[in-house]
Amino acid sequence: MKPEPLTLPPSPNWYCARCSDAAPGGIFGFAARTSVFLVRVGPSAGANPGAPPFRVVGELVGHTERVSGFTFSHHPGQYNLCATSSDDGTVKIWDVETKAVVTEHSFHQHTISALHWSPTVKDLIVSGDEKGVVFCYWLNRNDSQHFFPEPRTIFCLTCSPHHEDLVAIGYKDGIVVIIDISKKGEVIHRLRGHDDEIHSIAWCPLSGEDCLPVNQEENSEEPDIPNGKLVAETPITKGCYLATGSKDQTIRIWSCSRGRGIMVLKLPFLKRRGGGVDPAVKERLWLTLHWPNNQPTQLVSSCFGGELLLWDLTQSWRRKYTLFSTSAEGQNHSRIIFNLCPLKTEDDKQLLLSTSMDRDVKCWDMATLECCWTLPSLGGFAYSLAFSPVDVGCLAIGVGDGMIRVWNTLSIKNNYEVKSFWQGVKSKVTALCWHPNKEGCLAFGTDDGKVGLYDTCSNKPPQISSTYHKKTVYRLAWGPPVPPMSLGGEGDRPSLTLYSCGGEGIVLQHNPWKLSGEAFNINKLVRDTNSIRYKLPVHTEISWKGDGKVMALGNEDGSIEIFQVPNLKLLCTIQQHHKLVNAVVWHHEHGSRPELSCLIASGSNNAVIYVHNLRTVLESNPESPVTITEPFRTLSGHTAKVTSLAWSPHHDGRLVSACYDGTAQVWDALREEPLFNFRGHRGRLLCVAWSPVDPECIYSGADDFCVCRWLTSMQDHSRPPQGKKCIELEKKRLSQPKPKLKKKKKPTLRLPGKQDSSIVTEDESSRETSGPVENGVSDQDGEEEAQEPELPSPVVSGEAVSCIAVSLGVEKSKVTVNSKATSLKKEPPKEKPEALLKKRKARSMLPLSTSLDHRSKEELHRDCLVLATATHAKAELNEDVSADLEERFHLGLFTDRATLYRMMETEGKGHLESGHPELFHQLMLWKGDLKGVLQAAAERGELTDSLVAVAPVAGYSVWLWAVEAFAKQLCFQDQYVKAASYLLSIHKVYEAVELLKSNHFYREAIAVAKARLRPEDPVLKDLYLSWGSILEKDGHYAIAAKCYLGATSAYDAAKVLARKGDAASLRTAAELASIAGESELAASLALRCAQELLLVKNWVGAQEALGLHESLQGQRLVFCLLELLCRHLEEKQPPEVRSPSSVYHQWATGSEGDLMQRVTGVWRNTFSVDTPEQCRAALKKLQDVKYPSATSNTPFRQLLLHVCHDLTLAILSQQTASWEEAVPALLQAVLRSYTSGNFTLMQEIYSAFLPSGCDYLRDKLGDLSLTTAAFKSLEAFFIYGQLYEVWWSLCGPGPESSIWVKSTVPAEQREPEDSASAEDTEPVAAAAQPQSSPPSGPGLRLSGESERLLSACRKLFSERHANLQASQRTVAEVQETLAEMIRQHQKSQLCKATANGPSRDDPGQEAEQAPSRPQSPSREESNAPVSLPELTRRLTEANKKIAEFPESIKAWPFPDVLECCLVLLHIGSQCPGAVNPEMQQQAEELLQKYGHTRAYRRYCQTLHMNFQRP
């Protein structure tokens, strides 16, 4: 059974009174972030048999901020219409069939908090905002009215189903009002009883007040007098019940005829298994209601912990209720419920849908009160995807809401069978990795650096590693243990250990048997094994090869390092990316081509994906590390950074990539060809995974809170979008909310605003520590998107806003604000004259004593008496006098010292209380207690420079202590530089340097260290390295290089300079490395610089860069040849298409002699390469450089460079008379042109370097047997190219006389031909159409040169090569057929497993026959099925044939023999008699003998019909 596309949607928004609704017929919608997701429910959902009948069918996209309200139209004929409100200030009306906006309005000036589509008026939409303003909008007549019934925050509102003019409104403070919109919003009733937020309002489905029993006492009461007057009983005011749910834990039933409550239902505290919710926590409650249409005596409500209750209103005094889903455990929500909405399906089932804080959408059957199905959702970015290698089909999803989801993607009974794990996580899950062998063992990493192991088969909490990363965990991988963990015996260590890569740039090795033990940093092992003396790069990615023998590390500088177990010996470094590496993946090892397991794909912060073939490096095991600078394949097309890569486990060389441009791209990596592009996400893609069971099925996650399952065959695009279509521009546009008028106008401070959803969520998350991290409506994740700061009001000042009255309406408030602001501006505060400020007296040191001396005369006299008694007492003072002295402390000026000290202590306390500590310190100094002053000031954090300056008076130790205390105080005040200066004053240099370093004052720290420490002190080097690392991360590469130079690490300085990647930086880095003696690095950087300059055709600059290092002399020769070849090709182009931007050397502009002579002349005159010894030295250096083979997608400039490298080898070999080396090099250049499809370049190579054919080389070679096969191949390609030129001369329109064709008809007598030219077609394609071009007729004949060429074509008709090529084609076709059979077999096994046994014919037989089904009627070979033994026999025979051929035949490619036969036969058909009959017969025999494969069978049949004689 083929899987269908699925979407795991974002979580429904929290804390909204109505953000989900359902329309009759089976369409359900819920608001999630800034959009609305639509779900089809019921038989029309098209779900698989046995699966729950629902399906996510679309999304309403248009709002720029959180959607706060959603409601359907419940009127027949317009069930397709719905309305949404958003924090962006708009109300939009949508058509769910087209998913387009019908109309919208933005009347509200404040945040909209409630919305409802009237059930009685089909075009009325009512909305309310947090300032209390209600807007009524009539859709059909595009009219609106606004009311301001109460100056309170609206929480919810509901239109009456019985009277079109009544609207019930619930407020934040617990008030409920009923207004009549036909009477300008007149308040009919104010219902008081709740004392907290009103969360939900539900009208009784039946009008009248006969459905509920009411006590006689209540009926006998007099009617209430709302608004101070008696209201007559009218049909409007009587005959209707209203239910309200509040945060005060009560449900109240109100009578609209009397305007009072008749029933109060108190929520019960239910004890749930596994714990419950504390009833005292009111913040954990959201009470939503639903009054069923067909059950007016029953009411559905939510409860504290996610339960649903069905209340029996006929027995309210007994508080009778029924709990939903009592038969099945775990079916209820686990958190509070926000919304309830009914739905009647097409088969008349009454359902109830609920949204909850547990991020599930549940559907309930109202007949049985049981849960029908659950739709899970995501509350954060989908950071990571990982399929279990043991439990096939189990997909683990790491989400930014602090939970791990495990999705059983193979479940037939439930497409959304998802289990959630949150215990012990408590942060964003950024990395996941399943154990390769142990079932249910899942490793996870989080945003806060935590690494843990979950057993998904049990309910146990996870094991957490005791070693945390300092930053986000980027990647997890299982691999073999390395020292020191691998040093124990087989039973003492695990077979696989867990490796984690964190944002701080290190890789840790964790022991899964003992996570409580310390994890090991592998950098130490890498440094010791490879004797590395420079700074190791910052690691960002880790990937183990499938066989566990090789590990790849991606780095922040763009490099990728390959290490070999067990001691992590560095094998090679890939210097391809120039930005941070985000993804590195090895090709799988179970394909039909085992050599592909050495392919490694990588993606970085730039948009290009590189694939490298490390087979040569891994097999040769070099002694010293190799540097790779050329990719095997380059995949270009993305326009932003690549975040994730995954190889297809079903194909060879097929790769899928996730990118910040908002798309996932499937590539054929071997052909460098984009295949399929998925654009279903609305955000930046973060992860991607290929289904292990379906070749077409791929899963992707993004920052739009979605995980999508999509099929490659259903995609409309083949490559990523370009230019303005990129998601980055769209995201910037969507991320900037509209300016809110509510921020500009704040009519009062006494109007309480509705609590912001994001703030609510953060509070809720901080309160509950046992549950998962929650991000709510506006996602607490933040997910790298900072909120816009609120703009201050340009009109109204803060003082004006604080003075506005509340009793006026909206329009009056505006007038009041403006007039108030104007009045304040007219009367600015008066300033005091400067003279008065100058005459102000200094504050008294003894203010309390002074004030006591200004009391009444009686008190002053009493002071004199007490003082006299104290001074003239001969014995000890009695208790009365002592008490008087204590009370009159100001007399201490006139008595003894002890009393004076008490007076000064009292005065000091007064200074401290009045906020003048400096005066207190002066008093203490007067006492002479300097140490006490310093201690008191330090305790209060009030030390000053002046106090510390006088500290030496109290002694040296006191001064040291005071300086240290002052330095700590300065640190608390963020004055780190000043604190360091004080530490230096007491000779604490190391502490001062560490203080500056820890607070990122590196420049100051280095200045201090250089001035005060020894030059060889390791602290100074550590400062340079630390500052350099930070500067490198911030992109300040030049200053970072200075730091590394200061630390005598020139290697790191050159590397960091080269990270910029531009030509100027690379050249400077190369010069720096050369000065420092790093010759290998200097050569590498100089070559990169030259290649960058080559892209802009700056030939002069490229040669100057190569001239920086002597070892690049060979590369200078390559670039010289490349320049001359480009100049040669450009001269053959028309002047109007030549590139004017090229900067050529003077020696490249001459045109004397052929290209070969010009090259050798420039080498001799400019580069002084003249003697054979010099040529031999350059040849040896160039032979060490290997380039990958070319493909049809290889860029032309790269192709030219590689071709010129081979040509340089050929010319140098000729100069040294090494003809046995010249032929293979020249042949390699020809083969690159041939395999890339550039026939013109191949012919130019022959015309420039072999102008007279291959006879010259044959004479030079003599009887050298080693190069005979290479020479034959070179000669064959030469004849092959000329053969096509002869044929194209015959096929061209109106051919003129040339070296190949002679015209025998005058030009004026020739008739124009209608046949198309074959010049723009590929050679094989042209040869494949024997009837496409008519014969040339008697007006053309072949020249003598052509006839000589045709006679030489006998060398192309090599039966040995034809036999070898036929065997190779057979092997390729059999491998393709076997791969298709394996895929079909996997599909059939999947269907068989999921359907519990086959219900039809054997799927294995069907899979076996699938590859042999006819693809087109013309293919006779596809009519008969091919069995697996037959395919195996064919493959064995073909491989046996290939093995019998000598290596000299297989080593060098040869032109396709059958293709040459076809071209020769076409020439013979166009020029009868031109082809020797013997050769023609030989060509037909070769086609009939070896043309049995699919590629040639049809053409052989056609030729047999054309050339067969009757």
Side-chain angles (χ1 to χ4, degrees), residues 450-745:
K450 183 188 307 177
V451 176
L453 283 179
Y454 242 118
D455 183 2
T456 60
C457 300
S458 68
N459 294 324
K460 298 178 182 178
Q463 304 177 53
I464 305 298
S465 173
S466 61
T467 307
Y468 276 55
H469 285 278
K470 295 180 181 178
K471 293 185 179 180
T472 303
V473 178
Y474 284 158
R475 190 70 66 193
L476 297 171
W478 292 93
V482 299
M485 201 170 292
S486 63
L487 299 179
E490 286 295 330
D492 299 333
R493 57 179 173 83
S495 59
L496 292 173
T497 56
L498 179 63
Y499 295 83
S500 60
C501 181
E504 72 276 21
I506 64 172
V507 175
L508 297 178
Q509 180 185 200
H510 306 264
N511 186 348
W513 289 1
K514 191 178 180 182
L515 282 179
S516 59
E518 182 183 1
F520 299 100
N521 186 349
I522 69 170
N523 275 356
K524 184 178 186 303
L525 178 61
V526 170
R527 190 182 294 276
D528 295 342
T529 301
N530 301 282
S531 302
I532 297 176
R533 55 185 174 83
Y534 53 83
K535 181 177 70 73
L536 290 177
V538 175
H539 306 307
T540 58
E541 178 70 354
I542 179 173
S543 178
W544 280 93
K545 196 171 180 293
D547 56 9
K549 298 179 180 179
V550 182
M551 178 183 69
L553 289 182
N555 300 319
E556 189 183 39
D557 60 1
S559 64
I560 300 173
E561 297 171 310
I562 309 299
F563 297 92
Q564 186 181 42
V565 294
N567 296 321
L568 299 186
K569 173 190 174 184
L570 180 61
L571 296 179
C572 69
T573 301
I574 302 173
Q575 295 283 358
Q576 203 68 56
H577 299 282
H578 304 315
K579 294 185 178 180
L580 184 146
V581 176
N582 293 314
V584 174
V585 288
W586 292 88
H587 194 282
H588 57 81
E589 300 190 341
H590 55 266
S592 60
R593 300 171 60 184
E595 68 274 9
L596 296 183
S597 64
C598 296
L599 294 184
I600 184 170
S602 56
S604 69
N605 278 0
N606 55 14
V608 183
I609 301 168
Y610 294 107
V611 180
H612 291 83
N613 190 349
L614 304 183
R615 183 179 182 183
T616 304
V617 175
L618 299 182
E619 291 178 353
S620 62
N621 193 11
E623 290 297 328
S624 59
V626 178
T627 300
I628 299 176
T629 58
E630 288 293 331
F632 175 69
R633 294 292 183 263
T634 302
L635 308 178
S636 302
H638 282 302
T639 56
K641 71 178 181 179
V642 178
T643 54
S644 181
L645 298 171
W647 290 101
S648 167
H650 313 282
H651 310 84
D652 288 335
R654 186 164 293 189
L655 183 73
V656 62
S657 59
C659 179
Y660 259 31
D661 61 11
T663 68
Q665 178 66 45
V666 179
W667 309 84
D668 186 336
L670 301 181
R671 296 189 297 170
E672 298 180 326
E673 179 182 353
L675 301 178
F676 312 102
N677 184 255
F678 174 68
R679 305 183 182 182
H681 286 284
R682 290 184 54 225
R684 304 167 298 182
L685 267 70
L686 303 176
C687 51
V688 68
W690 211 301
S691 170
V693 295
D694 193 301
E696 289 191 2
C697 187
I698 298 176
Y699 294 78
S700 57
D703 65 0
D704 59 0
F705 291 44
C706 290
V707 170
C708 294
R709 179 171 80 185
W710 50 279
L711 306 179
T712 56
S713 59
M714 298 179 63
Q715 305 313 309
D716 299 329
H717 305 277
S718 62
R719 59 178 61 249
Q722 303 295 320
K724 295 183 179 179
K725 297 180 182 179
C726 298
I727 197 67
E728 287 292 329
L729 299 178
E730 184 68 14
K731 196 162 185 68
K732 288 181 181 178
R733 184 184 68 82
L734 292 177
S735 64
Q736 298 187 8
K738 296 180 180 178
K740 298 182 181 180
L741 297 177
K742 70 183 182 67
K743 301 297 181 185
K744 297 182 179 180
K745 301 183 180 180

Side-chain angles (χ1 to χ4, degrees), residues 866-979:
V866 172
L867 181 59
T869 305
T871 54
H872 290 82
K874 295 179 180 179
E876 292 185 1
L877 299 176
N878 57 35
E879 293 181 1
D880 295 337
V881 176
S882 298
D884 287 339
L885 283 177
E886 289 182 5
E887 180 183 356
R888 302 172 186 273
F889 60 86
H890 61 291
L891 297 181
L893 282 174
F894 312 103
T895 57
D896 56 0
R897 179 175 294 180
T899 310
L900 176 65
Y901 280 176
R902 286 200 300 271
M903 182 196 78
M904 297 179 74
E905 184 180 352
T906 305
E907 292 282 1
K909 290 181 179 179
H911 287 312
L912 292 176
E913 292 173 358
S914 59
H916 297 282
E918 69 280 357
L919 300 181
F920 167 73
H921 299 154
Q922 291 185 37
L923 283 176
M924 298 296 286
L925 285 175
W926 289 1
K927 286 174 58 178
D929 187 11
L930 181 57
K931 185 175 180 180
V933 172
L934 293 173
Q935 289 177 344
E939 292 173 359
R940 300 173 58 88
E942 295 169 351
L943 284 172
T944 62
D945 297 275
S946 58
L947 284 177
V948 177
V950 299
V953 178
Y956 180 74
S957 60
V958 175
W959 173 62
L960 291 179
W961 173 85
V963 171
E964 290 182 354
F966 190 38
K968 292 180 181 179
Q969 177 182 317
L970 290 172
C971 289
F972 282 115
Q973 298 169 355
D974 296 336
Q975 300 184 48
Y976 304 107
V977 177
K978 188 175 180 180

Side-chain angles (χ1 to χ4, degrees), residues 1161-1236:
V1162 173
W1163 286 2
R1164 182 173 54 255
N1165 300 328
T1166 305
F1167 300 100
S1168 302
V1169 178
D1170 194 10
T1171 64
E1173 291 76 15
Q1174 294 173 334
C1175 294
R1176 195 171 292 108
L1179 179 63
K1180 185 177 180 181
K1181 291 179 180 178
L1182 288 179
Q1183 284 176 339
D1184 296 335
V1185 180
K1186 303 296 182 182
Y1187 290 118
S1189 58
T1191 67
S1192 58
N1193 292 309
T1194 303
F1196 183 67
R1197 293 181 183 176
Q1198 181 180 343
L1199 175 66
L1200 277 179
L1201 177 62
H1202 297 175
V1203 165
C1204 288
H1205 180 271
D1206 297 327
L1207 293 176
T1208 304
L1209 292 175
I1211 298 176
L1212 289 172
S1213 300
Q1214 292 183 25
Q1215 296 295 317
T1216 58
S1218 301
W1219 300 99
E1220 68 280 1
E1221 297 179 0
V1223 172
L1226 187 57
L1227 176 59
Q1228 187 64 36
V1230 172
L1231 290 177
R1232 289 188 191 276
S1233 307
Y1234 173 72
T1235 54
S1236 66

Side-chain angles (χ1 to χ4, degrees), residues 1256-1277:
Y1256 176 75
L1257 285 177
R1258 183 183 292 107
D1259 297 339
K1260 293 293 183 181
L1261 286 172
D1263 296 332
L1264 294 175
S1265 59
L1266 294 177
T1267 57
T1268 302
F1271 177 77
K1272 287 183 178 180
S1273 180
L1274 180 65
E1275 187 179 23
F1277 276 105

Side-chain angles (χ1 to χ4, degrees), residues 1274-1310:
L1274 180 65
E1275 187 179 23
F1277 276 105
F1278 175 78
I1279 300 172
Y1280 169 82
Q1282 291 192 333
L1283 180 64
Y1284 262 102
E1285 287 193 358
V1286 173
W1287 183 40
W1288 287 344
S1289 298
L1290 292 172
C1291 296
E1296 300 290 341
S1297 297
S1298 66
I1299 187 175
W1300 306 112
V1301 179
K1302 299 297 183 182
S1303 177
T1304 61
V1305 180
E1308 61 273 7
Q1309 296 182 11
R1310 298 179 194 149

Side-chain angles (χ1 to χ4, degrees), residues 344-358:
K344 185 176 182 181
T345 62
E346 296 172 346
D347 52 357
D348 293 332
K349 281 189 177 181
Q350 295 290 342
L351 304 176
L352 184 67
L353 294 120
S354 58
T355 62
S356 166
M357 185 181 279
D358 63 6

Side-chain angles (χ1 to χ4, degrees), residues 807-829:
S807 58
L808 300 178
V810 178
E811 299 297 331
K812 293 182 180 180
S813 297
K814 296 180 183 177
V815 177
T816 307
V817 168
N818 292 332
S819 62
K820 200 73 177 177
T822 306
S823 64
L824 287 175
K825 288 182 179 180
K826 289 182 179 179
E827 298 180 3

Side-chain angles (χ1 to χ4, degrees), residues 1104-1177:
E1104 291 176 353
L1106 294 174
L1108 296 175
H1109 206 274
E1110 295 179 358
S1111 64
L1112 296 178
Q1113 178 70 14
Q1115 293 293 341
R1116 297 192 69 185
L1117 302 182
V1118 175
F1119 275 65
C1120 170
L1121 175 56
L1122 178 59
E1123 182 177 355
L1124 290 171
L1125 181 59
C1126 289
R1127 181 68 176 177
H1128 175 73
L1129 296 176
E1130 187 176 315
E1131 288 173 350
K1132 293 192 173 185
Q1133 295 179 349
E1136 59 272 9
V1137 298
R1138 296 180 184 176
S1139 175
S1141 60
S1142 301
V1143 182
Y1144 290 106
H1145 285 88
Q1146 185 66 31
W1147 42 260
T1149 56
S1151 58
E1152 298 81 6
D1154 57 16
L1155 181 61
M1156 183 77 171
Q1157 295 174 350
R1158 291 165 60 188
V1159 170
T1160 54
V1162 173
W1163 286 2
R1164 182 173 54 255
N1165 300 328
T1166 305
F1167 300 100
S1168 302
V1169 178
D1170 194 10
T1171 64
E1173 291 76 15
Q1174 294 173 334
C1175 294
R1176 195 171 292 108

